Amino acid sequence: MKTLLASTLLLACLSGAAAADSDTRCYELRVYHAAPGKLDALEGRFRDHACALFTKHGFTNIGYWVPMENSDNKLIYIIASPSREAHDKAWKSFIDDPDWKAVAKATEADGKLVTKVDSIYLNATDFSPEIAPSHTDAPRCFELRTYTAAPDKMDALLTRFRDHTLKLFVKHGMTNIGYWTRADKEKPQLIYLLAYPSREAREASWKAFFADPDWQAAQKASEVNGRLVAKVEYVFLSATDYS
């Protein structure tokens, strides 16, 4: 029975990998650098006002996180809209909303809360699981990973993820949250988000993944003409209580 249940769960996870085939939404990854001593106030503004105002103006709140090691006072979040045109219109209506203007004025009476905003527009890959807001009371470790492909290797990198990597992640206890590429094509990057029960579970999962003969075979076969990834960046995240 346990074997059958495990097989059923695995098949459900794998079938979800094709769920984003028709996901043409516009995603935006935003990183806010809070002013010194202002991160709590910034989070309070999102918790009490901004998230609801985003919904009011047509955005979908995908998730909000802070880095586990957060010396730069960052807040990271992802929002989505049906299209880039809808996204731009939503931002305009949000900025022009008297409710938002009142909130911004009240929360910045003692100075601005944000010193810098980084923004990347994203497209979901055809192999991403269905990307939807989710919340659980169980604490989890999230990991946002950015792979910069080697020259002319982006398609091969995506193929390896599509055909091998996602299934192996599931096999080793990782939860696939979402996979995207940059909409602006400025850099050949794959950006994805994973979740684990804990930081310790993350380390165990990656150790098992790298030791897996199936991964080693897939990596070797896909890199006969050179490595696919030029640079890997990652950050460990904790979900906010309003995510």
Side-chain angles (χ1 to χ4, degrees):
M1 179 63 72
K2 290 183 178 179
T3 301
L4 178 60
L5 178 59
S7 299
T8 302
L9 291 174
L10 179 59
L11 287 172
C13 291
L14 297 183
S15 65
D21 283 352
S22 60
D23 189 347
T24 59
R25 287 180 291 176
C26 170
Y27 290 87
E28 187 179 7
L29 170 65
R30 294 176 67 86
V31 180
Y32 283 17
H33 301 252
K38 298 290 188 178
L39 182 58
D40 287 346
L42 177 62
E43 288 206 78
R45 186 164 75 183
F46 273 92
R47 181 185 299 108
D48 298 337
H49 305 286
C51 289
L53 287 170
F54 280 170
T55 301
K56 173 183 175 181
H57 292 286
F59 292 115
T60 298
N61 294 296
I62 301 298
Y64 292 79
W65 305 269
V66 291
M68 289 184 171
E69 291 81 35
N70 198 14
S71 59
D72 294 329
N73 296 316
K74 292 180 180 178
L75 171 66
I76 299 172
Y77 67 96
I78 299 174
I79 53 177
S81 300
S83 66
R84 179 61 184 269
E85 181 182 14
H87 204 82
D88 292 343
K89 287 182 178 179
W91 270 119
K92 185 178 188 306
S93 63
F94 171 83
I95 295 299
D96 292 340
D97 189 327
D99 290 338
W100 164 246
K101 291 179 179 180
V103 167
K105 182 177 180 180
T107 56
E108 296 184 352
D110 296 321
K112 285 191 169 295
L113 304 188
V114 179
T115 61
K116 180 184 177 184
V117 176
D118 300 319
S119 169
I120 303 175
Y121 285 94
L122 304 170
N123 296 323
T125 67
D126 61 2
F127 53 82
S128 178
E130 181 180 0
I131 302 167
S134 62
H135 176 76
T136 175
D137 291 331
R140 289 192 290 176
C141 168
F142 292 85
E143 185 177 10
L144 184 65
R145 295 176 67 86
T146 300
Y147 285 15
T148 301
D152 301 319
K153 298 293 188 181
M154 186 63 173
D155 288 345
L157 176 62
L158 295 177
T159 296
R160 187 168 73 188
F161 268 83
R162 182 185 300 110
D163 295 345
H164 304 286
T165 311
L166 264 71
K167 290 177 282 190
L168 290 169
F169 281 170
V170 172
K171 175 182 177 181
H172 293 291
M174 308 181 200
T175 300
N176 295 302
I177 302 296
Y179 289 77
W180 301 268
T181 56
R182 292 180 67 116
D184 58 14
K185 309 298 183 185
E186 180 179 328
K187 294 180 180 179
Q189 288 183 330
L190 172 65
I191 298 172
Y192 65 99
L193 185 67
L194 299 173
Y196 321 89
S198 66
R199 184 74 170 266
E200 293 74 22
R202 183 266 181 196
E203 302 303 326
S205 289
W206 276 101
K207 182 178 180 181
F209 171 82
F210 285 126
D212 190 324
D214 290 338
W215 162 246
Q216 293 172 0
Q219 182 182 37
K220 182 178 180 180
S222 62
E223 296 187 349
V224 290
N225 294 317
R227 295 184 63 83
L228 304 188
V229 180
K231 184 179 181 181
V232 175
E233 301 168 87
Y234 58 89
V235 57
F236 299 115
L237 305 171
S238 296
T240 66
D241 59 4
Y242 50 87
S243 183

